[in-house]
Amino acid sequence: MGTIHDLIENEGRQGALSFDYDRRIIKIAAEYMAMEESSIGFLYSGFTHVGLPHKRLSDDAAWQVTTDRVTMVVEPGRKASPSGQPVYVGVPYGSKARLIMLYLQTEALKTNNREVELGRSLRDWLKRMGIPQGGKSIADVREQAERISRCRINFEFHGGNSSGLINQNIVDTAMFFDDNPQNKTQFLERVKLSEVFFEQLIRHPVPIEEAAIRSLNGHSQALDIYCWLAYRLHVLHRPTPISWIAIKAQFGTGVVRMGHFKAKFIDNLKLAQAVYPDAKTDVTSAGLTLYPSKPPISPKTPKSSQIRQQESR
């Protein structure tokens, strides 16, 4: 993937577009390279092994992903209804749910506080991430925020002959305000992360680059792949092959045909590497080989001291 970045650096974005490369990859790589500065974001390492669904499920449906390391089950929450029977709100899904989750985790770690302000702060952050601030886009953000605030997640980690189970709500409490009283719509004003989730986040944070997240904001699988590579590559000591079966178990839940999954995964891998130039991988007929690579966030940056402080707690 370094060839794309070298090409853009030497020929410029418009010049690079005249070569035989996917225009989406050039566009994302050029946008990423043009950003002069970038903050650090964080996410819980469990989410680098398994991800939320990419598309909407039935509101009453749970979501499960199982890999050789972890099984995650996401259960939809419910809310009161005028009929007197509570209704399911559905599990969070798609790129906006991932962005909101990243915001919650990043703010909680940076402030060392389980309570996170949303409202205008979230809107400002989403604007920096390239999300439009009106119409359907903000309605989607509102919906995903509510799904996150009401759902429950179970992580079961596997290792050798033992396993560990973590049952947790992401959010303990949530405060809403009327965004449009006439239409009776609400927007989350602030939330308090659950103590269990916050403790796991402090113990196992993964640093990521917000410039990369902004560039991938409409590509949920590419976001998942980027976070996975950010977690895995820099700790490797030797080339590590991963079979297509294992990759599909992690990234292809719900996709029936392996051929369809492979094609889409390879496309999204290229998008992820467009914002992670140092990521070294090799696609083969057997699967994907990962190589030791520099992390996306340099350990020499001032922010890295915050990461080490959080990990030592």
Side-chain angles (χ1 to χ4, degrees), residues 80-104:
S81 73
S83 69
Q85 292 296 321
V87 295
Y88 286 100
V89 300
V91 300
Y93 67 91
S95 59
K96 290 185 177 64
R98 287 162 169 79
L99 290 176
I100 296 168
M101 287 291 294
L102 285 169
Y103 173 81
L104 293 176

Side-chain angles (χ1 to χ4, degrees), residues 6-237:
D6 294 339
L7 181 64
I8 294 171
E9 187 171 341
N10 294 329
E11 303 290 338
R13 174 174 172 172
Q14 291 303 315
L17 288 171
S18 65
F19 287 77
D20 188 24
Y21 286 103
D22 188 323
R23 296 175 68 89
R24 296 178 310 152
I25 297 173
I26 293 176
K27 177 179 179 294
I28 286 176
E31 178 183 318
Y32 168 76
M33 293 171 67
M35 296 182 192
E36 296 181 356
E37 60 181 48
S38 176
S39 299
I40 297 177
F42 299 94
L43 79 160
Y44 167 50
S45 63
F47 289 119
T48 66
H49 299 292
V50 288
L52 297 170
H54 300 292
K55 297 181 179 180
R56 181 172 188 158
L57 308 179
S58 299
D59 286 347
D60 61 349
W63 171 254
Q64 177 175 320
V65 182
T66 300
T67 72
D68 59 342
R69 298 185 177 205
V70 62
T71 295
M72 179 182 73
V73 176
V74 185
E75 300 176 84
R78 293 191 287 180
K79 66 178 181 180
S81 73
S83 69
Q85 292 296 321
V87 295
Y88 286 100
V89 300
V91 300
Y93 67 91
S95 59
K96 290 185 177 64
R98 287 162 169 79
L99 290 176
I100 296 168
M101 287 291 294
L102 285 169
Y103 173 81
L104 293 176
Q105 293 168 90
T106 297
E107 289 299 303
L109 268 187
K110 285 183 175 180
T111 61
N112 193 30
N113 191 334
R114 287 199 289 143
E115 187 161 287
V116 178
E117 294 291 332
L118 298 176
R120 182 175 298 277
S121 296
L122 174 60
R123 291 185 188 219
D124 290 345
W125 185 81
L126 290 173
K127 184 177 181 180
R128 295 204 309 273
M129 294 298 102
I131 302 300
Q133 295 301 291
K136 184 178 185 302
S137 180
I138 201 64
D140 290 344
V141 168
R142 182 187 299 112
E143 178 188 354
Q144 295 305 321
E146 180 171 12
R147 287 169 177 250
I148 289 169
S149 70
R150 296 182 186 274
C151 76
R152 183 172 181 80
I153 296 183
N154 302 327
F155 283 99
E156 185 170 356
F157 296 93
H158 320 293
N161 296 322
S162 63
S163 63
L165 179 65
I166 300 174
N167 291 311
Q168 58 194 351
N169 292 324
I170 296 173
V171 170
D172 265 353
T173 61
M175 296 297 293
F176 296 84
F177 70 90
D178 290 335
D179 190 45
N180 187 340
Q182 290 183 342
N183 292 330
K184 300 184 186 309
T185 58
Q186 293 183 316
F187 198 87
L188 280 169
E189 183 176 16
R190 63 181 182 271
V191 299
K192 189 172 186 178
L193 300 185
S194 72
E195 187 172 358
V196 172
F197 182 66
F198 185 60
E199 287 177 354
Q200 292 301 313
L201 175 61
I202 288 177
R203 291 174 60 188
H204 306 287
V206 177
I208 54 177
E209 196 173 15
E210 285 193 353
I213 301 306
R214 173 188 168 91
S215 298
L216 297 176
N217 67 34
H219 305 276
S220 59
Q221 188 179 84
L223 278 171
D224 289 347
I225 295 171
Y226 167 80
C227 293
W228 176 61
L229 295 177
Y231 174 75
R232 289 294 308 274
L233 294 184
H234 72 98
V235 298
L236 296 178
H237 299 291

Side-chain angles (χ1 to χ4, degrees), residues 255-271:
V255 181
V256 177
R257 296 183 59 182
M258 177 63 83
H260 290 168
F261 167 75
K262 282 185 183 180
K264 184 175 181 180
F265 177 85
I266 292 171
D267 283 346
N268 281 292
L269 174 65
K270 292 176 181 178
L271 296 180

